[in-house]
Structure formats: structure tokens, C-alpha cells
Amino acid sequence: MRKALGAAGLLVGAGLAIAIASPHFMTAFNLENLLRRSSLFGILGIGATFVIVTGGIDLSIGSIVCLVGVLTPWLLVEQGVDPWIGVLGLLGVSLLLGTLHGVLITRLRLQPFLVTLCGLLVYRGLARGITGDQTQGFVGGFRGLRQLGNGRIPIPGIEGFTIPVPFLVLVVVAIGAALLLGRTVWGRYLLAIGRNETAVRYSGIDADRVKILAYTLCGFLSGLGGLLFTLDVGSAQPVDFGNFYELYAIAAAVIGGCSLRGGEGTILGVLLGAAVMQVLQNGITLIDAIPNNVEFAVIGTVILIGVVTDESVRRVIARRRPEGRGSIP
Amino acid sequence: MTPRLSAHGVVKRFPGVLALDGVDLDIRGGEVVAVVGENGAGKSTLMKILAGVLTPDAGELRLDGAPLLLPDVRAADRAGIALIHQELNLADNLDLAGNLHLGREPRRGPRGLGWIDRSRLERDSRDLLRRVGLDLPPTTLTAELSIGQRQMLEIARALGRSARFLILDEPTSSLSAAETERLLGLIAELRAEGTGIVYISHRLGEITRIADRVVVLRDGARTAELSGGEIERGRMVREMVGRELESLDSCERALGEVRLEIRGLPMAPEAPVLDLDVRSGEIVGLAGLVGSGRSELLGAIFGVAPRSHGRVRVDAREIPPGSPPASVAAGLGLVPEERGRQGLVLEGTIHENLALPGWRRTSRRGWVRSDEARANSRSVVRSLDIRPGDATRAAGTLSGGNQQKVALGKWLPLEPVVLLLDEPTRGVDVGARLEIHRRLQELASAGLAILFASSEMEEVLGLSDRVLVLHEGRIAGELPRERLSEEAVLSLATGSEAAP
């Protein structure tokens, strides 16, 4: 919870600084866009969180985003597949890819880094191969379906600001994820595995199944994210669609309080982390004094400062209180 | 002049605890000083101060009469003081020579380039290994050593740094009988060569054999110093605990029906197989030397170790191999050998640990019922007298005895029918050990079937209704309560007597 507070502080601080530096920040149009982008990355971040709390990592998120993002318009427009079948089929594929990662990691005892690194390479290669590297788009069609990504819902009584549909999707996903992590047996197991997998096994718990669940959820949420991204933008280039998105998702989880050693993390924190990432990116675009091409450097520096501060605070607290790390109620 | 290391009035505070309250300690070259006390008495803290790992809040250290400041481990190293940790600090991937000289490899060639003088490294290593009686080439990979050999390697490393004072913290807790003998022999040799040795152990039998003096600590203060004829088991326990300890009464229990049924389970690949029944109300001990296959046997029953053939049944219900979830569902519980690695989530709270195996039960269709789980944990904390009783503390901050109670207590809410325990009280102090033994007897009286493995003779003799003695992966013999004696167990365990 403390780390989520830190992320909230960072979000407010960065927001205020950018609002002062640029008059365009606090406009309804910009905030709406920010909310949409944060929601999309929040979905990916939640997926990454499930894997990270078990002490694992998923590097394939961006490539699954690309695979689903590129193949959705390819199936629907080029191949003329029924939208229901196409969309549900691709979501199913992304889910199964996650399961495959989990099975390889638990049954063959391969390292998560390695398995998902291969996933990163394979899925992007597949997406590029299948489409012949051609940009795929909806060419103005499928307006109903695309509402899922770019739709806006007016708030009664408020003019000018509308709620982006991906935000509603995120709310549903986040509530589900928070309940899973906080209120179910699976959530207890996920967190305990991140702290000591051996002790979990020795407690008579099928740790492998729990880990497979984590990778499956991550795969599915990557696919869902990819779908919403492509519906929002309207077209996708196989070469760079979803590039680095796994790193954004992991960074969001870490800013939001996940420990890469596992055993720690909250859904609220990850959502705030995803928002921090988007606000920083937005600020760099809006503030003229900062050239756009230093974007990565700025984001990297801010995250680094954040985790260093957090670690220092943690040490001071640990010296005062010999209590359990993040006690679960 | 004999070298002499002394500590005067050493005080060390940790948040909320006064770990050491004005302790004096004096070690001369050529003597073995044993430091004993219950867990939490301050032994390890005192040793860490002598080795420069911690700095005292008050008091001073002196070496040969001159004040000695030890701001860090390197300073202690220069002063010739070496601490051999309970957890051995060796790099598995290096060979013996590499570990012996880690950080001080002989160099050759231009300064600063860091070329290692391999031939000198190996020559020096051979000498050191010979001194501690390790008959292995210096190019052996450290990962291949047994725990006992690692201990010897650590001592050789300290000797290589010309240590004049050696501090050994629980050196024999995971050694076999033969390895323990070799270590005690080596200590005697080092003493004769003039090394000052501080020896910490819960095994009072070893201490009566090798110690010239015994310093007893209790609650951070020094309560007694014994020497000569005063070094005797009962006296040490009395000083450590501060009261007379009642001994464990063997209680007669009515045996019920067979709860655990083992048929044709191999103790090791190619080894003879084991048949065993454990009844309700019965406590069966597995004795034998380290490496006799006890842990593997318990692991194979529970499903955390492989089981190629043989059958295990709990209440006539077949347990499939390699499936701890099925074992737990059938009513088995295992308190494993290494509580820090296998038994507990050290970073988790006491409550999280106590609730972990029981989440399935304290949930409805996957949704956890936190209130019920918390109530369970509270009742376990009360019934086992886990201290401190605040269940939101991290399990890792508890003393060894209380950690062990948590590792045992997490099974209680599941009301198991068979409990397997591997070294139920390793590294646990005398008082807590007695409490755990009492509780196990109570559980057996209430109908639990208990199978435990232990390398501590006292535990095997005091707790068991029946003892199976293992030797090199087979059952050397079975001893009923009437025929239980230290001699009987030892002669079977060392293979000096055929099975009766």
C-alpha cells in the first residue's frame, strides 16, 4: 500500500509540474487521451503483475500485442473472417500462448526470461511473416467493433469530457484482478510462491498450476490489450506495433510497487504506475523545451529516482520495525 | 606469549531487544572455550562482534592487552580472528583452491593485471587441505563436497589466513557422526598448535568432550563460567534455562488402527524395500547417520521426493507418488528438515505461514474466509505458545524454536491423521525442544500417527514408541521401547550389529 501511495505521489507531482509547464496538459482532449492510453497500458501492466508477483517475468507481452493487433485487421479485412470468430479466436490464441509459456516454465523447468524472450522473437516474426510486413488496417470499416477501442461515452451533465471505452474495460479487468489477488486462494498462492516457492510446494500446494495460471492470464491480457490498441488506432505495422510494450508494462508494475523478486504487488499500484508512465510521455510531447527524442532517457531517469527513493525509505522503515513485508489481512 | 582475545562489558542493543548486557569473554591461544545458551541468549551476537560483523554499543575488545577496534570483517581478518558461519559461505562453482584463496589469490605478472599464479595457488592449497585432513586434489569442484567436507574447507580457509582465533558456530549441526569425530579431532589438533577456539553448539555431549571452559549466556548476560569437572550436562542445562528442567515423561498411549501403511518403498535406488505401519497414537522414530536415507524416505512418502515404486496408504487410501496436494488431502503433513527453505515463507507473517496449507479448507469455492483463517492462526499461536504472539510479525524474525513451532503449527488447522517430521528440533534450544516434544506427545495421545527422523539420540530415545534404525539405505533393525538404548541404536546405525 505504501508503494501505491508513492506512485500516487509521483503521478500528482508529475501532473502538476507538466500542467504548470504546458497549457495544453489540462485540456479535456488531452486528459481524455491520457486516460485512454493509461487504461490500455494498465491492462498490460495487470497481466505483467500476475507473473511478476510469482517472481517470474514475461518479455513476450509486446509481441503478443503485435500478433493480435496485426492479425485482427488482417483476418477481418483481408481474409473476411467473421468478426466474432476472429476476435475470440485471437484472444484464445493469446491465452494459449500464455499457457504454453507457463507449461514450458513449470514442467520443463526453463527460465521465464528465456521462454518469454523466445516468445518475443517468435510472435513478432510470425506477425511479420503472415502479413508480409504490410501495414494492416480497418480501412474505415468495423465502426461498431472499433468502439471498443476508440469509443467515448458522454457523462450526463458534463460538457466536453467523455469517458473512453477502454477505461471501462480496464475497470472490469482491474476489479477482477484485485479480487483474484486479494480474496481468492489463488491470490494467496501467487504471492506466497513469489516469496518461497519451495515452502509452498512443501505445504501441499500445486505450485505449477498456480504459475501456469499467472502466465495464462498475462498472455490473455496482452492479447486483449493488443486488440484494444489496434481498434483504437485503426491500423498496425507489423515491424513496430507494440514495440517495447512489455517494458512499459513491467515498468508500470515496478513503479506501482511490485518487487521483481516476487511476492509483492497490488493492482491499484500497477494502475497508478501505468498512469505515471503515460503522464511522463505526454509531458515530454507537450513541453517544447524537452526534445521528443530524449523520451526514453527521461522516463528511465524518473523511474530510477523513484525506485532509489523507495528503497531508501524502505531501509529506514525496516530499521525501525522488524515486521513482515506487506502483511496480508 | 600466549595470544589472548578478550571482551569486556560488551553491550549490544537491537530495536526492542537488549541482545547483550555487559558480557565478558576471555579466550587464550591453545584452549577451547564453549559458549552455550538457549536460542536468543546472545551467543551469535557476541560471536559477530568478535568477528567484526557487528560493532558493540558499549564495552571493548582487547587483543594481547591492547585495545582492538573491529569496524568490519577485514579488520578481524587482519587481527587473526575468523568466524565460521552456520551457513557456510563457499562458492560452489569454484574449485577448492579457488575457495581457499578467494579474495587473496597469489598474483604474478605485472601489478594490476590480476593474473593468478595457478601453480602457487594449488601448492598452497594442497598444504592447507592436508592440515585439515581433506584428502582431495585442489582442483576438485566445491559443489562435490559433503557438508562435513565443506566445514573442513572453511576451516582450512581460515588457517590460510593465519587465523589465531577460530569461532565455530554450530559446526556439527549437519554433520554425520564420523564427520563430527573428524572435526572434533581437528579442533584438538589446532588447540595443541596454539589456536584459540570458541565453540558454539547445542550438542552438550560434544562440549563435555572438548571444552576447557564453558561460558553460559542467558538473556544477553553471562550467568556462569564452568571449568574442569563442572562441565557436565545437567549443570549446563540448569545454568542455560535458569531452572530445573523436568524431563519428558514417556506416557503410555493406547494404539489405534493403522493410519500410515507403507509397502515396498525403496530407501534408495537398488536398495532393499521398506514395509512399515504406523498406528494411531504411535510415535515411530527413524534413526541413523546423516546420509542413511531418512529425509529421502519421508520426502518420498509425502511426495516432494521421487518414488519409483512401492505403495503408501493413509487410512487405506492410496497416495499417488510425487503429489503433495494428494498427500495433504489424504491427511498427511510434513515438517521438513530445512525450515528456512522448505518449511516457512520467512518474509511472510506468522499468520500467512500458519494459514498457507489450510487456505483450501478455509475458503468457499476459491474465495478465502479471512476471519476463519485468522481465528485458526490465533488458536495455533496460543496452543503452541509461539512467541511473540503477534501473528503479523515476519516468521523470519522469530527464534529458531518459535520458527519450528510455526512450521509444525501450520498443519494443525488441517487436523492431519499422519504427521511426518524431519529433524523436529534441529537448532532449537532446550526449553523449546521440550515444549515441542510435549506437544507431539499430546497430538499422538489425541490419535495422530507420527513418523519422525532425527539424528539426535536424545530425541530418538525420549520420544519414540518404536525406532527403526537405518544404515546405508536399508533397515538395520527395529527396536521397541523396552529395548531402546543409545548403545542399541548406535550399533545398528553404524552397521556393527546385524539386524536381530
Side-chain angles (χ1 to χ4, degrees), chain A residues 179 182-186 188-189 192 195-196 198-206 261 319-320 322-329, chain B residues 15 302 304 324-325 328 334 336 340-342 344-345 347-349 352 356-357 359-360 363 366-368 374 392 394 397 410-411:
Chain A
L179 287 176
R183 294 285 161 90
T184 69
V185 174
W186 296 94
R188 302 293 147 120
Y189 293 167
R195 291 177 177 179
N196 186 348
T198 308
V200 170
R201 285 180 199 285
Y202 272 77
S203 296
I205 293 157
D206 192 342
R261 283 179 303 143
R319 223 170 287 153
R320 299 215 178 122
E323 268 152 45
R325 178 150 79 98
S327 79
I328 292 169
Chain B
F302 187 72
V304 286
V328 172
L334 169 68
R341 201 172 69 79
Q342 305 163 333
L344 297 175
V345 180
E347 288 175 336
T349 64
E352 283 163 12
L356 188 59
W359 278 126
R360 270 265 165 254
S363 65
W367 299 98
V368 300
R374 256 196 302 269
T392 62
T397 63
K410 69 183 200 178
W411 295 109

Coordinates of all heavy atoms in Angstrom, one line a residue, chain A residues 179 182-186 188-189 192 195-196 198-206 261 319-320 322-329, chain B residues 15 302 304 324-325 328 334 336 340-342 344-345 347-349 352 356-357 359-360 363 366-368 374 392 394 397 410-411:
Chain A
L179 N -9.8 -8.7 -7.0 CA -10.5 -9.8 -6.3 C -9.7 -11.1 -6.3 O -9.5 -11.7 -5.3 CB -11.9 -10.0 -6.8 CG -12.9 -8.9 -6.5 CD1 -14.2 -9.2 -7.2 CD2 -13.1 -8.8 -5.0
G182 N -6.5 -10.6 -4.1 CA -6.7 -10.3 -2.7 C -7.7 -11.2 -2.0 O -7.6 -11.4 -0.8
R183 N -8.6 -11.8 -2.7 CA -9.7 -12.5 -2.0 C -9.8 -14.0 -2.3 O -10.6 -14.7 -1.7 CB -11.0 -11.9 -2.4 CG -11.2 -10.5 -1.9 CD -11.5 -10.4 -0.4 NE -11.2 -9.2 0.2 CZ -12.1 -8.2 0.3 NH1 -13.3 -8.4 -0.1 NH2 -11.7 -7.0 0.8
T184 N -8.9 -14.5 -3.2 CA -9.1 -15.9 -3.5 C -7.9 -16.7 -3.1 O -6.8 -16.1 -2.8 CB -9.3 -16.2 -5.0 OG1 -8.0 -15.8 -5.7 CG2 -10.4 -15.3 -5.6
V185 N -8.0 -18.0 -3.0 CA -7.0 -18.9 -2.7 C -5.8 -18.7 -3.6 O -4.6 -18.7 -3.3 CB -7.5 -20.3 -2.7 CG1 -6.4 -21.3 -2.5 CG2 -8.6 -20.5 -1.7
W186 N -6.2 -18.6 -4.9 CA -5.1 -18.4 -6.0 C -4.2 -17.2 -5.7 O -3.0 -17.3 -5.9 CB -5.8 -18.2 -7.3 CG -6.5 -19.5 -7.8 CD1 -7.9 -19.7 -7.6 CD2 -6.0 -20.6 -8.4 NE1 -8.2 -20.9 -8.1 CE2 -7.1 -21.5 -8.6 CE3 -4.8 -21.0 -8.8 CZ2 -7.0 -22.8 -9.2 CZ3 -4.6 -22.2 -9.4 CH2 -5.7 -23.1 -9.6
R188 N -3.5 -15.8 -2.8 CA -2.6 -16.2 -1.7 C -1.4 -17.0 -2.2 O -0.3 -16.8 -1.8 CB -3.3 -17.0 -0.6 CG -4.6 -16.3 0.0 CD -4.1 -15.1 0.8 NE -5.2 -14.1 0.7 CZ -5.8 -13.6 1.7 NH1 -5.5 -13.9 2.9 NH2 -6.7 -12.6 1.5
Y189 N -1.8 -18.0 -3.0 CA -0.7 -18.8 -3.5 C 0.3 -18.1 -4.4 O 1.5 -18.3 -4.3 CB -1.3 -20.0 -4.4 CG -2.1 -21.0 -3.5 CD1 -3.0 -21.9 -4.2 CD2 -2.1 -21.0 -2.1 CE1 -3.7 -22.8 -3.4 CE2 -2.8 -21.9 -1.4 CZ -3.6 -22.8 -2.0 OH -4.4 -23.7 -1.3
A192 N 2.6 -16.1 -2.2 CA 3.4 -17.0 -1.4 C 4.5 -17.6 -2.3 O 5.7 -17.7 -1.9 CB 2.6 -18.0 -0.7
R195 N 7.5 -15.5 -2.8 CA 8.4 -15.4 -1.6 C 9.2 -16.7 -1.4 O 10.4 -16.6 -1.0 CB 7.6 -15.1 -0.4 CG 7.1 -13.7 -0.5 CD 6.2 -13.4 0.7 NE 5.8 -12.0 0.6 CZ 5.0 -11.4 1.5 NH1 4.6 -12.1 2.6 NH2 4.6 -10.2 1.4
N196 N 8.5 -17.8 -1.5 CA 9.3 -19.1 -1.3 C 8.5 -20.2 -1.9 O 7.6 -20.8 -1.3 CB 9.5 -19.3 0.2 CG 10.4 -20.5 0.4 OD1 10.6 -21.3 -0.5 ND2 10.8 -20.7 1.7
T198 N 9.5 -23.2 -2.8 CA 9.7 -24.5 -2.2 C 8.8 -24.7 -1.0 O 8.2 -25.8 -0.9 CB 11.2 -24.6 -1.7 OG1 12.0 -24.2 -2.8 CG2 11.5 -26.0 -1.2
A199 N 8.7 -23.7 -0.1 CA 7.8 -23.8 1.0 C 6.4 -24.0 0.6 O 5.6 -24.8 1.3 CB 7.9 -22.6 2.0
V200 N 6.0 -23.4 -0.5 CA 4.6 -23.6 -1.0 C 4.4 -25.0 -1.4 O 3.4 -25.7 -1.1 CB 4.3 -22.6 -2.1 CG1 3.0 -22.9 -2.8 CG2 4.3 -21.2 -1.6
R201 N 5.4 -25.6 -2.2 CA 5.3 -27.0 -2.6 C 5.2 -27.9 -1.4 O 4.4 -28.8 -1.3 CB 6.5 -27.4 -3.4 CG 6.5 -26.8 -4.8 CD 7.7 -27.3 -5.5 NE 7.9 -26.4 -6.7 CZ 7.2 -26.5 -7.8 NH1 6.3 -27.4 -7.9 NH2 7.3 -25.6 -8.8
Y202 N 6.0 -27.6 -0.4 CA 6.1 -28.5 0.8 C 4.8 -28.3 1.6 O 4.6 -29.0 2.6 CB 7.3 -28.1 1.7 CG 8.5 -28.9 1.3 CD1 9.3 -28.6 0.1 CD2 9.0 -30.0 2.0 CE1 10.4 -29.3 -0.2 CE2 10.1 -30.7 1.6 CZ 10.8 -30.4 0.5 OH 11.9 -31.1 0.1
S203 N 4.0 -27.3 1.3 CA 2.7 -27.2 2.0 C 1.6 -27.9 1.3 O 0.4 -27.8 1.7 CB 2.3 -25.7 2.1 OG 3.3 -25.0 2.9
G204 N 2.0 -28.7 0.3 CA 1.0 -29.5 -0.4 C 0.1 -28.7 -1.4 O -1.0 -29.0 -1.7
I205 N 0.8 -27.7 -2.0 CA 0.1 -26.9 -3.0 C 0.7 -27.1 -4.3 O 1.9 -27.2 -4.5 CB 0.2 -25.4 -2.6 CG1 -0.6 -25.1 -1.3 CG2 -0.4 -24.5 -3.7 CD1 -0.2 -23.9 -0.5
D206 N -0.2 -27.2 -5.4 CA 0.3 -27.5 -6.7 C 0.8 -26.1 -7.3 O 0.1 -25.4 -8.0 CB -0.8 -28.1 -7.6 CG -0.3 -28.6 -8.9 OD1 0.8 -28.2 -9.3 OD2 -1.0 -29.4 -9.5
R261 N 11.7 -9.5 -7.3 CA 12.0 -10.8 -6.7 C 10.7 -11.6 -6.4 O 10.7 -12.7 -6.0 CB 12.7 -10.5 -5.3 CG 14.1 -10.1 -5.4 CD 14.7 -9.9 -4.1 NE 13.9 -8.8 -3.4 CZ 13.6 -8.8 -2.1 NH1 14.1 -9.8 -1.3 NH2 12.9 -7.9 -1.5
R319 N 14.6 -0.5 9.5 CA 15.5 -0.4 10.7 C 14.6 -0.2 11.9 O 15.0 -0.5 13.0 CB 16.4 0.8 10.5 CG 17.8 0.4 10.9 CD 18.8 1.5 10.5 NE 19.1 1.4 9.0 CZ 19.5 2.5 8.3 NH1 19.6 3.6 8.9 NH2 19.7 2.3 7.0
R320 N 13.5 0.4 11.7 CA 12.6 0.8 12.9 C 11.7 -0.4 13.3 O 11.3 -0.5 14.4 CB 11.8 2.0 12.6 CG 12.7 3.2 12.3 CD 12.0 4.5 12.8 NE 12.9 5.6 12.5 CZ 12.6 6.6 11.8 NH1 11.4 6.7 11.3 NH2 13.5 7.6 11.6
P322 N 10.7 -4.5 12.8 CA 11.1 -5.8 12.3 C 9.8 -6.6 11.9 O 9.7 -7.7 12.2 CB 11.8 -6.4 13.5 CG 11.1 -5.8 14.7 CD 10.6 -4.5 14.3
E323 N 8.9 -5.9 11.1 CA 7.7 -6.6 10.8 C 7.7 -7.3 9.5 O 8.6 -7.2 8.7 CB 6.5 -5.7 10.8 CG 5.8 -5.6 12.2 CD 5.2 -4.2 12.4 OE1 4.6 -3.8 11.5 OE2 5.4 -3.7 13.5
G324 N 6.6 -8.0 9.2 CA 6.5 -8.8 7.9 C 6.4 -7.8 6.8 O 5.8 -6.7 6.9
R325 N 6.9 -8.2 5.6 CA 6.8 -7.5 4.4 C 5.3 -7.5 3.9 O 4.8 -8.6 3.6 CB 7.8 -8.1 3.4 CG 7.8 -7.5 2.1 CD 9.2 -7.7 1.5 NE 9.5 -9.0 0.9 CZ 9.4 -9.3 -0.3 NH1 9.0 -8.4 -1.2 NH2 9.6 -10.5 -0.8
G326 N 4.7 -6.4 3.9 CA 3.3 -6.3 3.3 C 2.4 -7.4 3.8 O 2.0 -8.3 3.1
S327 N 2.0 -7.3 5.1 CA 1.2 -8.3 5.6 C -0.2 -8.3 4.9 O -0.8 -7.3 4.6 CB 1.0 -8.1 7.1 OG 0.0 -7.1 7.3
I328 N -0.7 -9.5 4.7 CA -2.0 -9.7 4.0 C -3.0 -9.8 5.1 O -2.9 -10.5 6.1 CB -2.0 -11.0 3.2 CG1 -1.0 -10.8 2.0 CG2 -3.3 -11.3 2.7 CD1 -0.7 -12.0 1.3
P329 N -4.1 -9.1 5.0 CA -5.1 -9.1 6.1 C -5.7 -10.4 6.2 O -5.8 -11.2 5.3 CB -6.1 -8.1 5.6 CG -5.9 -7.9 4.1 CD -4.5 -8.2 3.9
Chain B
P15 N 16.7 -3.0 18.0 CA 15.4 -2.3 18.3 C 14.5 -3.2 19.1 O 14.2 -4.3 18.7 CB 14.8 -2.1 16.9 CG 15.9 -2.1 15.9 CD 17.0 -3.0 16.5
F302 N 5.7 -38.3 1.4 CA 4.9 -37.1 1.2 C 4.7 -36.7 -0.2 O 3.8 -36.0 -0.6 CB 5.5 -35.9 2.0 CG 4.7 -34.7 2.1 CD1 3.5 -34.7 2.9 CD2 5.1 -33.5 1.4 CE1 2.8 -33.5 2.9 CE2 4.3 -32.4 1.5 CZ 3.1 -32.4 2.3
V304 N 7.4 -35.0 -2.1 CA 8.3 -34.0 -2.6 C 9.6 -34.6 -3.1 O 10.4 -33.9 -3.7 CB 8.6 -33.0 -1.5 CG1 7.5 -32.0 -1.2 CG2 9.0 -33.6 -0.2
P324 N 2.3 -33.8 -3.5 CA 2.0 -33.3 -2.2 C 0.5 -32.9 -2.0 O 0.0 -33.2 -0.9 CB 2.9 -32.1 -2.0 CG 4.1 -32.4 -3.0 CD 3.5 -33.2 -4.1
P325 N -0.1 -32.3 -3.0 CA -1.5 -32.0 -2.8 C -2.4 -33.2 -2.4 O -3.2 -33.1 -1.5 CB -2.0 -31.4 -4.1 CG -0.7 -30.9 -4.7 CD 0.3 -31.8 -4.3
V328 N -1.7 -34.2 1.2 CA -2.3 -33.4 2.2 C -3.8 -33.6 2.2 O -4.4 -33.7 3.3 CB -2.1 -31.9 1.9 CG1 -2.9 -31.0 2.7 CG2 -0.6 -31.6 2.0
L334 N 3.9 -32.7 6.5 CA 5.4 -32.9 6.6 C 6.0 -31.6 7.2 O 5.8 -30.6 6.7 CB 6.0 -33.2 5.2 CG 7.5 -33.2 5.2 CD1 8.1 -34.3 5.9 CD2 8.0 -33.2 3.7
P336 N 9.4 -30.3 7.3 CA 10.6 -30.6 6.6 C 11.9 -30.3 7.4 O 11.9 -29.6 8.4 CB 10.6 -29.9 5.3 CG 9.7 -28.7 5.6 CD 8.8 -29.1 6.7
G340 N 13.9 -23.0 7.1 CA 14.0 -21.7 6.4 C 13.7 -21.8 4.9 O 13.2 -20.9 4.3
R341 N 14.1 -23.0 4.3 CA 14.0 -23.1 2.9 C 12.7 -23.8 2.5 O 12.0 -23.5 1.5 CB 15.2 -23.9 2.3 CG 15.5 -23.7 0.8 CD 16.8 -24.3 0.5 NE 16.7 -25.8 0.5 CZ 16.1 -26.5 -0.4 NH1 15.6 -25.9 -1.5 NH2 16.1 -27.8 -0.3
Q342 N 12.4 -24.9 3.3 CA 11.2 -25.7 2.9 C 10.0 -25.5 3.7 O 8.9 -25.8 3.3 CB 11.7 -27.2 3.0 CG 12.9 -27.5 2.1 CD 13.6 -28.8 2.6 OE1 13.5 -29.2 3.7 NE2 14.3 -29.4 1.6
L344 N 9.1 -22.7 5.8 CA 8.5 -21.5 6.1 C 8.7 -20.5 4.9 O 9.7 -20.6 4.2 CB 9.1 -20.8 7.3 CG 8.9 -21.6 8.6 CD1 9.6 -20.9 9.8 CD2 7.4 -21.6 9.0
V345 N 7.8 -19.5 4.8 CA 8.0 -18.4 4.0 C 8.5 -17.3 5.0 O 7.7 -16.7 5.6 CB 6.7 -17.9 3.3 CG1 6.9 -16.7 2.5 CG2 6.1 -19.0 2.5
E347 N 9.8 -14.4 4.8 CA 9.4 -13.0 4.7 C 7.9 -12.8 5.0 O 7.4 -11.7 5.2 CB 9.6 -12.5 3.2 CG 11.1 -12.3 2.9 CD 11.2 -11.9 1.5 OE1 10.4 -12.3 0.7 OE2 12.3 -11.3 1.2
G348 N 7.1 -13.9 5.0 CA 5.7 -13.8 5.3 C 5.5 -13.7 6.8 O 6.4 -14.0 7.6
T349 N 4.3 -13.3 7.2 CA 4.0 -13.1 8.6 C 3.7 -14.5 9.2 O 3.5 -15.5 8.4 CB 2.7 -12.3 8.8 OG1 1.6 -12.9 8.2 CG2 2.9 -10.9 8.2
E352 N 0.4 -15.7 7.8 CA 0.4 -16.2 6.4 C 1.0 -17.6 6.4 O 0.6 -18.5 5.6 CB 1.3 -15.3 5.5 CG 0.6 -14.0 5.1 CD 1.5 -13.0 4.6 OE1 2.7 -13.3 4.4 OE2 1.1 -11.8 4.5
L356 N -1.2 -21.0 5.3 CA -0.9 -21.5 3.9 C -1.4 -22.8 3.5 O -2.1 -22.9 2.5 CB 0.7 -21.4 3.7 CG 1.1 -21.6 2.2 CD1 0.5 -20.6 1.3 CD2 2.7 -21.5 2.2
P357 N -1.1 -23.9 4.2 CA -1.6 -25.2 3.8 C -3.1 -25.3 3.9 O -3.8 -26.1 3.2 CB -1.0 -26.2 4.7 CG 0.0 -25.5 5.5 CD -0.4 -24.1 5.5
W359 N -5.5 -22.9 3.3 CA -6.4 -22.0 2.5 C -7.5 -22.7 1.8 O -8.6 -22.2 1.8 CB -5.6 -21.2 1.5 CG -4.8 -20.0 2.1 CD1 -3.5 -19.7 2.0 CD2 -5.4 -18.9 2.9 NE1 -3.2 -18.6 2.6 CE2 -4.3 -18.1 3.2 CE3 -6.7 -18.6 3.3 CZ2 -4.5 -16.9 3.9 CZ3 -6.8 -17.5 4.1 CH2 -5.8 -16.6 4.4
R360 N -7.2 -23.9 1.3 CA -8.2 -24.6 0.6 C -9.4 -24.8 1.5 O -10.6 -24.7 1.1 CB -7.7 -26.0 0.1 CG -7.1 -26.0 -1.2 CD -8.1 -26.4 -2.3 NE -7.5 -26.0 -3.6 CZ -8.0 -25.0 -4.3 NH1 -9.0 -24.3 -3.9 NH2 -7.4 -24.7 -5.5
S363 N -11.8 -21.8 2.7 CA -12.3 -21.0 1.5 C -13.6 -21.6 1.1 O -13.8 -22.8 1.3 CB -11.2 -20.9 0.4 OG -11.1 -22.2 -0.1
G366 N -13.1 -21.2 -3.6 CA -11.9 -20.4 -4.0 C -11.9 -19.1 -3.3 O -10.8 -18.4 -3.3
W367 N -13.0 -18.6 -2.7 CA -12.9 -17.3 -2.0 C -12.5 -17.5 -0.6 O -13.1 -18.3 0.1 CB -14.3 -16.6 -2.0 CG -14.8 -16.3 -3.4 CD1 -15.7 -17.0 -4.1 CD2 -14.4 -15.2 -4.2 NE1 -15.9 -16.5 -5.3 CE2 -15.1 -15.3 -5.4 CE3 -13.6 -14.1 -4.1 CZ2 -15.0 -14.4 -6.5 CZ3 -13.4 -13.2 -5.1 CH2 -14.1 -13.4 -6.3
V368 N -11.4 -16.8 -0.2 CA -10.9 -17.1 1.2 C -11.8 -16.5 2.2 O -12.4 -15.4 2.0 CB -9.5 -16.5 1.4 CG1 -8.5 -17.2 0.4 CG2 -9.4 -15.0 1.2
R374 N -7.8 -16.4 10.3 CA -7.2 -15.7 11.4 C -7.5 -16.3 12.7 O -6.6 -16.4 13.6 CB -7.6 -14.2 11.4 CG -6.5 -13.3 10.8 CD -6.8 -11.8 11.2 NE -8.1 -11.4 10.7 CZ -8.3 -10.8 9.5 NH1 -7.3 -10.6 8.7 NH2 -9.5 -10.5 9.2
T392 N 1.3 -10.8 13.1 CA 1.6 -10.0 12.0 C 3.1 -9.9 11.9 O 3.6 -9.2 11.0 CB 1.0 -8.6 12.0 OG1 1.5 -8.0 13.2 CG2 -0.5 -8.8 12.1
A394 N 7.0 -11.0 10.9 CA 7.5 -11.9 9.9 C 8.1 -13.1 10.6 O 8.7 -13.0 11.6 CB 8.6 -11.1 9.1
T397 N 11.7 -13.3 11.7 CA 12.3 -12.6 12.9 C 12.2 -13.4 14.2 O 12.7 -13.0 15.2 CB 11.5 -11.2 13.1 OG1 10.2 -11.5 13.4 CG2 11.5 -10.4 11.9
K410 N 1.5 -25.0 11.3 CA 0.7 -24.8 10.1 C -0.1 -26.0 9.7 O -1.1 -25.9 8.9 CB 1.6 -24.3 8.9 CG 2.5 -25.3 8.4 CD 3.4 -24.6 7.3 CE 4.0 -25.6 6.3 NZ 4.7 -25.0 5.3
W411 N 0.2 -27.2 10.2 CA -0.5 -28.4 9.9 C -1.7 -28.6 10.8 O -2.7 -29.3 10.4 CB 0.4 -29.6 9.9 CG 1.4 -29.6 8.8 CD1 2.7 -29.4 9.0 CD2 1.2 -29.6 7.4 NE1 3.4 -29.3 7.8 CE2 2.5 -29.5 6.8 CE3 0.1 -29.8 6.6 CZ2 2.6 -29.5 5.4 CZ3 0.3 -29.9 5.3 CH2 1.5 -29.7 4.7

